[in-house]
Amino acid sequence: DILMTQSPLSLPVTPGEPASISCRSSQSLLHSNGDNYLNWYVKKPGQSPQLLIYLGSNRAPGVPDRFSGSGSGTYFTLKISRVEAEDVGIYYCMQALQIFTFGPGTKVDIK
Amino acid sequence: QLQLQVSGPRLVKPSETLSLICTISGDSIRTSIYYWGWIRQPPEKSLEWIGNIYHSGSTHFNPSLESRVAMSVDTSKNQFSLTLSSVTAADTAVYYCARLNIDISHYHFDQWGQGTLVTVSS
């Protein structure tokens, strides 16, 4: 099984400031087709998880451009260029190379 | 606009079978680029993928649950279902149904239903 870890697990943020979440996988998520099978989701309070980033760096439709994903192989990063109050929630990375496994989640809240 | 609605009992007794149905509106279960999946989240824990099903009935399951899981589709009702047998308290979770996009340069769950809490208790 591919294990996923995230850091930090808790991230207090100041609106207007940048934020960054790291995700590591126990095996490379780089497919032979050149895509990294790593997706990012956010679960906001009272809502279902929403797709933010797919295949490592592609923003999902409707996702603000302050969100960006990067990385390859076993190390990935989700960045928020300027945090807004509505970004509060739990952020999960998920690998899709071998079945699907999620990271433990990073709780983002406002300082 | 796609909507996924989960229905089924919210309380299941230990050792019995959990059964949920996901009704799709705003899209066809037969759309070729989509699988349909179940994901759950136990209280205070992360998300766990349960399995996926294609409109043809082809399935993929999480190996940790495979011996207890079954899924089916009803294309006439635009629904797919989950059954989980021999449940224990560890199966208490919010259960989500979701759409898996398998198109080229995609491969992600792009839409999720609202989730329903199923409690296993006597």
Side-chain angles (χ1 to χ4, degrees):
Chain A
D1 291 7
I2 298 179
L3 300 179
M4 307 298 292
T5 58
Q6 291 179 230
S7 64
L9 298 183
S10 177
L11 182 59
V13 296
T14 301
E17 294 295 308
S20 180
I21 300 169
S22 298
C23 173
R24 288 184 186 270
S25 56
S26 60
Q27 301 175 37
S28 175
L29 302 182
L30 181 60
H31 192 277
S32 56
N33 63 12
D35 288 323
N36 284 281
Y37 278 53
L38 186 284
N39 305 320
W40 288 95
Y41 294 87
V42 61
K43 187 181 181 311
K44 296 182 180 180
Q47 297 183 22
S48 300
Q50 306 166 228
L51 178 68
L52 290 173
I53 303 288
Y54 64 93
L55 297 180
S57 60
N58 300 281
R59 260 192 311 277
V63 174
D65 61 7
R66 63 179 182 274
F67 289 92
S68 64
S70 63
S72 183
T74 63
Y75 187 74
F76 300 87
T77 304
L78 176 71
K79 293 184 179 178
I80 310 174
S81 59
R82 293 175 306 280
V83 172
E84 297 188 4
E86 67 181 26
D87 299 333
V88 165
I90 304 176
Y91 289 75
Y92 298 94
C93 58
M94 184 201 82
Q95 68 82 17
L97 188 67
Q98 294 178 15
I99 58 173
F100 306 92
T101 50
F102 293 84
T106 295
K107 185 175 183 180
V108 172
D109 57 14
I110 302 297
K111 282 183 182 175
Chain B
Q1 181 179 346
L2 178 72
Q3 289 193 348
L4 302 171
Q5 181 73 37
V6 179
S7 59
R10 292 345 188 220
L11 181 64
V12 182
K13 290 183 168 56
S15 79
E16 295 190 347
T17 295
L18 178 158
S19 296
L20 295 173
I21 293 173
C22 183
T23 301
I24 304 163
S25 56
D27 195 3
S28 171
I29 198 169
R30 294 191 183 90
T31 304
S32 62
I33 61 169
Y34 298 130
Y35 266 74
W36 304 90
W38 292 95
I39 297 146
R40 70 180 183 178
Q41 185 169 32
E44 307 304 319
K45 294 188 177 180
S46 186
L47 297 153
E48 179 181 34
W49 171 70
I50 301 170
N52 300 325
I53 189 165
Y54 197 57
H55 63 80
S56 63
S58 172
T59 53
H60 301 96
F61 298 136
N62 188 324
S64 68
L65 298 169
E66 190 164 16
S67 63
R68 299 193 291 129
V69 172
M71 294 184 184
S72 62
V73 293
D74 186 335
T75 55
S76 67
K77 294 182 179 179
N78 222 31
Q79 295 175 335
F80 61 104
S81 67
L82 166 71
T83 61
L84 181 65
S85 62
S86 304
V87 298
T88 69
D91 295 309
T92 293
V94 174
Y95 285 76
Y96 297 96
C97 59
R99 186 176 75 180
L100 174 64
N101 187 334
I102 60 168
D103 200 7
I104 291 175
S105 295
H106 286 268
Y107 211 69
H108 48 266
F109 292 101
D110 62 358
Q111 296 289 339
W112 298 57
Q114 88 286 5
T116 188
L117 174 63
V118 178
T119 302
V120 178
S121 175
S122 55

